[in-house]
Short mmCIF file of all heavy atoms in Angstrom, two decimals:
data_model
loop_
_atom_site.label_atom_id
_atom_site.label_comp_id
_atom_site.label_asym_id
_atom_site.label_seq_id
_atom_site.Cartn_x
_atom_site.Cartn_y
_atom_site.Cartn_z
N GLY A 29 -48.91 72.77 94.32
CA GLY A 29 -49.67 73.06 93.12
C GLY A 29 -51.10 72.60 93.17
O GLY A 29 -51.97 73.23 92.49
N ASP A 30 -51.38 71.56 93.88
CA ASP A 30 -52.77 71.00 93.92
C ASP A 30 -53.52 71.42 95.17
O ASP A 30 -54.65 70.96 95.37
CB ASP A 30 -52.73 69.48 93.81
CG ASP A 30 -52.18 69.01 92.45
OD1 ASP A 30 -52.59 69.58 91.44
OD2 ASP A 30 -51.36 68.12 92.44
N ARG A 31 -52.93 72.29 95.99
CA ARG A 31 -53.63 72.84 97.15
C ARG A 31 -54.48 74.02 96.77
O ARG A 31 -54.16 74.72 95.83
CB ARG A 31 -52.63 73.25 98.23
CG ARG A 31 -52.00 72.11 98.99
CD ARG A 31 -50.87 72.57 99.89
NE ARG A 31 -51.24 73.78 100.67
CZ ARG A 31 -50.35 74.43 101.40
NH1 ARG A 31 -49.11 74.03 101.47
NH2 ARG A 31 -50.73 75.51 102.06
N ARG A 32 -55.63 74.20 97.46
CA ARG A 32 -56.48 75.36 97.21
C ARG A 32 -55.79 76.62 97.67
O ARG A 32 -55.06 76.67 98.66
CB ARG A 32 -57.81 75.22 97.96
CG ARG A 32 -58.58 73.95 97.58
CD ARG A 32 -58.90 73.88 96.12
NE ARG A 32 -59.50 72.59 95.71
CZ ARG A 32 -59.67 72.23 94.47
NH1 ARG A 32 -59.36 73.04 93.49
NH2 ARG A 32 -60.20 71.03 94.19
N LEU A 33 -56.04 77.72 96.92
CA LEU A 33 -55.36 78.98 97.22
C LEU A 33 -55.77 79.51 98.61
O LEU A 33 -55.01 80.33 99.17
CB LEU A 33 -55.67 80.01 96.14
CG LEU A 33 -54.60 80.19 95.09
CD1 LEU A 33 -54.35 78.88 94.34
CD2 LEU A 33 -54.93 81.29 94.11
N ARG A 34 -56.91 79.08 99.15
CA ARG A 34 -57.29 79.58 100.47
C ARG A 34 -56.32 79.09 101.54
O ARG A 34 -56.31 79.69 102.63
CB ARG A 34 -58.72 79.13 100.79
CG ARG A 34 -58.88 77.62 100.97
CD ARG A 34 -60.28 77.30 101.50
NE ARG A 34 -61.32 77.67 100.59
CZ ARG A 34 -61.87 76.85 99.67
NH1 ARG A 34 -61.48 75.54 99.68
NH2 ARG A 34 -62.81 77.24 98.89
N THR A 35 -55.51 78.09 101.22
CA THR A 35 -54.54 77.59 102.20
C THR A 35 -53.16 78.21 101.99
O THR A 35 -52.25 77.93 102.79
CB THR A 35 -54.41 76.08 102.10
OG1 THR A 35 -53.79 75.72 100.86
CG2 THR A 35 -55.78 75.39 102.18
N TYR A 36 -53.01 79.08 101.01
CA TYR A 36 -51.70 79.65 100.71
C TYR A 36 -51.37 80.81 101.66
O TYR A 36 -52.29 81.60 102.02
CB TYR A 36 -51.66 80.18 99.29
CG TYR A 36 -51.38 79.17 98.20
CD1 TYR A 36 -51.66 77.82 98.41
CD2 TYR A 36 -50.80 79.53 96.98
CE1 TYR A 36 -51.40 76.86 97.42
CE2 TYR A 36 -50.57 78.59 95.98
CZ TYR A 36 -50.83 77.27 96.22
OH TYR A 36 -50.58 76.33 95.23
N SER A 37 -50.13 80.99 102.00
CA SER A 37 -49.67 82.16 102.75
C SER A 37 -49.54 83.36 101.79
O SER A 37 -49.65 83.21 100.56
CB SER A 37 -48.33 81.86 103.41
OG SER A 37 -47.32 81.74 102.40
N LYS A 38 -49.31 84.54 102.37
CA LYS A 38 -49.13 85.73 101.54
C LYS A 38 -47.96 85.56 100.56
O LYS A 38 -48.03 85.92 99.37
CB LYS A 38 -48.89 86.96 102.39
CG LYS A 38 -48.64 88.28 101.63
CD LYS A 38 -49.84 88.72 100.80
CE LYS A 38 -49.53 89.95 99.98
NZ LYS A 38 -49.30 91.19 100.76
N GLY A 39 -46.87 85.01 101.04
CA GLY A 39 -45.70 84.80 100.20
C GLY A 39 -46.01 83.83 99.07
O GLY A 39 -45.55 84.00 97.90
N MET A 40 -46.75 82.76 99.37
CA MET A 40 -47.10 81.77 98.33
C MET A 40 -48.03 82.42 97.27
O MET A 40 -47.92 82.14 96.08
CB MET A 40 -47.80 80.59 98.96
CG MET A 40 -46.84 79.78 99.86
SD MET A 40 -47.68 78.48 100.84
CE MET A 40 -48.07 77.31 99.58
N LEU A 41 -48.96 83.26 97.72
CA LEU A 41 -49.85 83.96 96.77
C LEU A 41 -49.05 84.89 95.86
O LEU A 41 -49.35 85.00 94.68
CB LEU A 41 -50.93 84.73 97.54
CG LEU A 41 -52.04 83.91 98.21
CD1 LEU A 41 -52.90 84.83 99.06
CD2 LEU A 41 -52.85 83.19 97.15
N GLN A 42 -48.05 85.55 96.44
CA GLN A 42 -47.20 86.41 95.61
C GLN A 42 -46.45 85.56 94.53
O GLN A 42 -46.32 86.00 93.41
CB GLN A 42 -46.20 87.20 96.49
CG GLN A 42 -46.82 88.23 97.40
CD GLN A 42 -47.41 89.39 96.61
OE1 GLN A 42 -48.57 89.38 96.24
NE2 GLN A 42 -46.61 90.41 96.41
N ARG A 43 -45.99 84.42 94.96
CA ARG A 43 -45.21 83.58 94.03
C ARG A 43 -46.13 82.97 92.96
O ARG A 43 -45.69 82.85 91.78
CB ARG A 43 -44.47 82.50 94.78
CG ARG A 43 -43.18 83.08 95.47
CD ARG A 43 -42.40 81.98 96.12
NE ARG A 43 -42.94 81.58 97.38
CZ ARG A 43 -42.86 80.37 97.87
NH1 ARG A 43 -42.28 79.38 97.20
NH2 ARG A 43 -43.38 80.07 99.06
N ILE A 44 -47.35 82.60 93.30
CA ILE A 44 -48.27 82.08 92.27
C ILE A 44 -48.63 83.25 91.34
O ILE A 44 -48.87 83.01 90.12
CB ILE A 44 -49.49 81.39 92.88
CG1 ILE A 44 -50.12 80.42 91.86
CG2 ILE A 44 -50.53 82.38 93.34
CD1 ILE A 44 -49.31 79.23 91.55
N GLY A 45 -48.73 84.45 91.89
CA GLY A 45 -48.98 85.62 91.07
C GLY A 45 -47.84 85.89 90.09
O GLY A 45 -48.06 86.27 88.96
N LEU A 46 -46.64 85.68 90.56
CA LEU A 46 -45.48 85.83 89.69
C LEU A 46 -45.45 84.77 88.58
O LEU A 46 -45.18 85.09 87.43
CB LEU A 46 -44.18 85.77 90.51
CG LEU A 46 -42.87 86.03 89.80
CD1 LEU A 46 -42.92 87.37 89.03
CD2 LEU A 46 -41.72 86.01 90.77
N ALA A 47 -45.83 83.53 88.96
CA ALA A 47 -45.91 82.51 87.92
C ALA A 47 -46.97 82.85 86.90
O ALA A 47 -46.78 82.63 85.70
CB ALA A 47 -46.25 81.17 88.62
N GLN A 48 -48.08 83.41 87.34
CA GLN A 48 -49.15 83.84 86.42
C GLN A 48 -48.64 84.91 85.48
O GLN A 48 -48.98 84.92 84.29
CB GLN A 48 -50.32 84.34 87.25
CG GLN A 48 -51.47 85.01 86.42
CD GLN A 48 -51.27 86.49 86.28
OE1 GLN A 48 -51.56 87.06 85.24
NE2 GLN A 48 -50.67 87.14 87.24
N ALA A 49 -47.82 85.83 86.01
CA ALA A 49 -47.27 86.92 85.14
C ALA A 49 -46.30 86.38 84.10
O ALA A 49 -46.07 87.00 83.09
CB ALA A 49 -46.58 87.97 86.06
N LEU A 50 -45.73 85.22 84.35
CA LEU A 50 -44.72 84.62 83.46
C LEU A 50 -45.29 83.64 82.48
O LEU A 50 -44.56 83.09 81.65
CB LEU A 50 -43.62 83.95 84.28
CG LEU A 50 -42.71 84.84 85.13
CD1 LEU A 50 -41.90 84.01 86.08
CD2 LEU A 50 -41.81 85.67 84.23
N LEU A 51 -46.60 83.40 82.53
CA LEU A 51 -47.20 82.34 81.72
C LEU A 51 -46.91 82.46 80.23
O LEU A 51 -46.61 81.47 79.56
CB LEU A 51 -48.72 82.29 81.97
CG LEU A 51 -49.22 81.45 83.15
CD1 LEU A 51 -50.65 81.80 83.47
CD2 LEU A 51 -49.06 79.97 82.86
N HIS A 52 -47.01 83.68 79.72
CA HIS A 52 -46.83 83.86 78.26
C HIS A 52 -45.42 84.26 77.91
O HIS A 52 -45.15 84.77 76.82
CB HIS A 52 -47.86 84.91 77.74
CG HIS A 52 -47.71 86.25 78.41
ND1 HIS A 52 -47.97 86.46 79.75
CD2 HIS A 52 -47.36 87.49 77.87
CE1 HIS A 52 -47.79 87.76 80.02
NE2 HIS A 52 -47.43 88.37 78.93
N ASP A 53 -44.48 84.04 78.83
CA ASP A 53 -43.06 84.30 78.63
C ASP A 53 -42.80 85.75 78.18
O ASP A 53 -42.24 86.00 77.13
CB ASP A 53 -42.49 83.31 77.59
CG ASP A 53 -40.99 83.28 77.59
OD1 ASP A 53 -40.36 83.63 78.62
OD2 ASP A 53 -40.39 82.96 76.52
N PRO A 54 -43.20 86.73 79.01
CA PRO A 54 -43.05 88.13 78.64
C PRO A 54 -41.62 88.57 78.68
O PRO A 54 -40.77 88.00 79.38
CB PRO A 54 -43.93 88.89 79.64
CG PRO A 54 -43.83 88.01 80.88
CD PRO A 54 -43.82 86.60 80.36
N ASP A 55 -41.30 89.65 77.97
CA ASP A 55 -39.97 90.23 78.00
C ASP A 55 -39.77 91.25 79.12
O ASP A 55 -38.66 91.57 79.49
CB ASP A 55 -39.67 90.94 76.64
CG ASP A 55 -39.69 89.96 75.49
OD1 ASP A 55 -39.00 88.94 75.56
OD2 ASP A 55 -40.43 90.21 74.52
N LEU A 56 -40.90 91.81 79.62
CA LEU A 56 -40.86 92.81 80.65
C LEU A 56 -41.79 92.43 81.79
O LEU A 56 -42.96 92.11 81.54
CB LEU A 56 -41.29 94.18 80.10
CG LEU A 56 -41.49 95.30 81.08
CD1 LEU A 56 -40.21 95.65 81.87
CD2 LEU A 56 -42.01 96.58 80.37
N LEU A 57 -41.32 92.44 83.01
CA LEU A 57 -42.12 92.16 84.20
C LEU A 57 -42.34 93.44 84.99
O LEU A 57 -41.35 94.13 85.33
CB LEU A 57 -41.46 91.15 85.06
CG LEU A 57 -41.56 89.66 84.62
CD1 LEU A 57 -40.64 88.82 85.55
CD2 LEU A 57 -42.96 89.16 84.72
N LEU A 58 -43.57 93.79 85.32
CA LEU A 58 -43.90 94.91 86.19
C LEU A 58 -44.40 94.31 87.51
O LEU A 58 -45.46 93.64 87.52
CB LEU A 58 -44.94 95.80 85.54
CG LEU A 58 -44.56 96.53 84.25
CD1 LEU A 58 -45.73 97.30 83.72
CD2 LEU A 58 -43.38 97.45 84.49
N LEU A 59 -43.67 94.59 88.62
CA LEU A 59 -44.02 94.03 89.90
C LEU A 59 -44.29 95.19 90.87
O LEU A 59 -43.41 95.96 91.19
CB LEU A 59 -42.88 93.18 90.42
CG LEU A 59 -42.28 92.14 89.43
CD1 LEU A 59 -41.15 91.36 90.08
CD2 LEU A 59 -43.35 91.17 88.95
N ASP A 60 -45.53 95.28 91.33
CA ASP A 60 -45.94 96.35 92.21
C ASP A 60 -45.83 95.89 93.67
O ASP A 60 -46.64 95.06 94.11
CB ASP A 60 -47.36 96.81 91.90
CG ASP A 60 -47.74 98.12 92.54
OD1 ASP A 60 -46.87 98.70 93.27
OD2 ASP A 60 -48.89 98.57 92.36
N GLU A 61 -44.85 96.39 94.41
CA GLU A 61 -44.61 96.02 95.82
C GLU A 61 -44.61 94.50 95.97
O GLU A 61 -45.39 93.93 96.73
CB GLU A 61 -45.71 96.65 96.70
CG GLU A 61 -45.73 98.17 96.70
CD GLU A 61 -44.64 98.79 97.58
OE1 GLU A 61 -43.85 98.06 98.16
OE2 GLU A 61 -44.58 100.04 97.63
N PRO A 62 -43.74 93.80 95.28
CA PRO A 62 -43.80 92.32 95.27
C PRO A 62 -43.53 91.66 96.61
O PRO A 62 -43.92 90.52 96.84
CB PRO A 62 -42.74 91.90 94.24
CG PRO A 62 -41.80 93.05 94.21
CD PRO A 62 -42.63 94.27 94.42
N THR A 63 -42.79 92.36 97.56
CA THR A 63 -42.46 91.77 98.83
C THR A 63 -43.26 92.36 99.99
O THR A 63 -42.96 92.08 101.15
CB THR A 63 -40.97 91.91 99.14
OG1 THR A 63 -40.63 93.30 99.16
CG2 THR A 63 -40.13 91.22 98.02
N ALA A 64 -44.26 93.19 99.70
CA ALA A 64 -45.03 93.83 100.74
C ALA A 64 -45.81 92.77 101.56
O ALA A 64 -46.52 91.96 101.00
CB ALA A 64 -46.00 94.87 100.17
N GLY A 65 -45.65 92.81 102.89
CA GLY A 65 -46.40 91.88 103.73
C GLY A 65 -45.89 90.47 103.70
O GLY A 65 -46.55 89.58 104.25
N VAL A 66 -44.74 90.22 103.12
CA VAL A 66 -44.18 88.86 103.01
C VAL A 66 -43.09 88.69 104.04
O VAL A 66 -42.31 89.63 104.32
CB VAL A 66 -43.64 88.65 101.58
CG1 VAL A 66 -43.01 87.26 101.46
CG2 VAL A 66 -44.72 88.84 100.55
N ASP A 67 -42.98 87.49 104.65
CA ASP A 67 -41.94 87.24 105.67
C ASP A 67 -40.55 87.25 105.01
O ASP A 67 -40.44 87.20 103.77
CB ASP A 67 -42.22 85.93 106.39
CG ASP A 67 -42.14 84.72 105.49
OD1 ASP A 67 -41.13 84.53 104.78
OD2 ASP A 67 -43.14 83.98 105.42
N PRO A 68 -39.47 87.33 105.81
CA PRO A 68 -38.15 87.46 105.24
C PRO A 68 -37.76 86.35 104.25
O PRO A 68 -37.11 86.59 103.24
CB PRO A 68 -37.22 87.43 106.48
CG PRO A 68 -38.06 88.00 107.56
CD PRO A 68 -39.44 87.51 107.29
N LEU A 69 -38.18 85.11 104.55
CA LEU A 69 -37.84 84.01 103.67
C LEU A 69 -38.58 84.13 102.36
O LEU A 69 -37.95 84.03 101.24
CB LEU A 69 -38.20 82.66 104.33
CG LEU A 69 -37.86 81.43 103.47
CD1 LEU A 69 -36.39 81.36 103.09
CD2 LEU A 69 -38.29 80.16 104.18
N GLY A 70 -39.87 84.45 102.39
CA GLY A 70 -40.62 84.65 101.15
C GLY A 70 -40.11 85.83 100.38
O GLY A 70 -40.07 85.79 99.13
N SER A 71 -39.68 86.89 101.09
CA SER A 71 -39.15 88.06 100.41
C SER A 71 -37.83 87.71 99.67
O SER A 71 -37.65 88.15 98.53
CB SER A 71 -38.87 89.15 101.46
OG SER A 71 -38.30 90.28 100.85
#
């Protein structure tokens, strides 16, 4: 959490993006190609 985003992998960026989408506790999540370019573990 305290690392700069420039050091994040693609999978980590996707997950921080997902956390950002959940900040206001929405009822509906829209995820556009959430696993594109992510390794199998991150996927």
Side-chain angles (χ1 to χ4, degrees):
D30 295 316
R31 285 171 46 186
R32 302 300 173 191
L33 261 60
R34 67 170 65 95
T35 69
Y36 277 25
S37 67
K38 177 65 183 294
M40 294 170 72
L41 288 173
Q42 292 292 89
R43 282 185 282 148
I44 202 69
L46 184 54
Q48 173 270 144
L50 291 168
L51 274 167
H52 59 296
D53 195 25
D55 298 307
L56 171 62
L57 283 172
L58 296 177
L59 312 178
D60 193 2
E61 299 281 1
T63 61
V66 179
D67 62 57
L69 180 59
S71 179

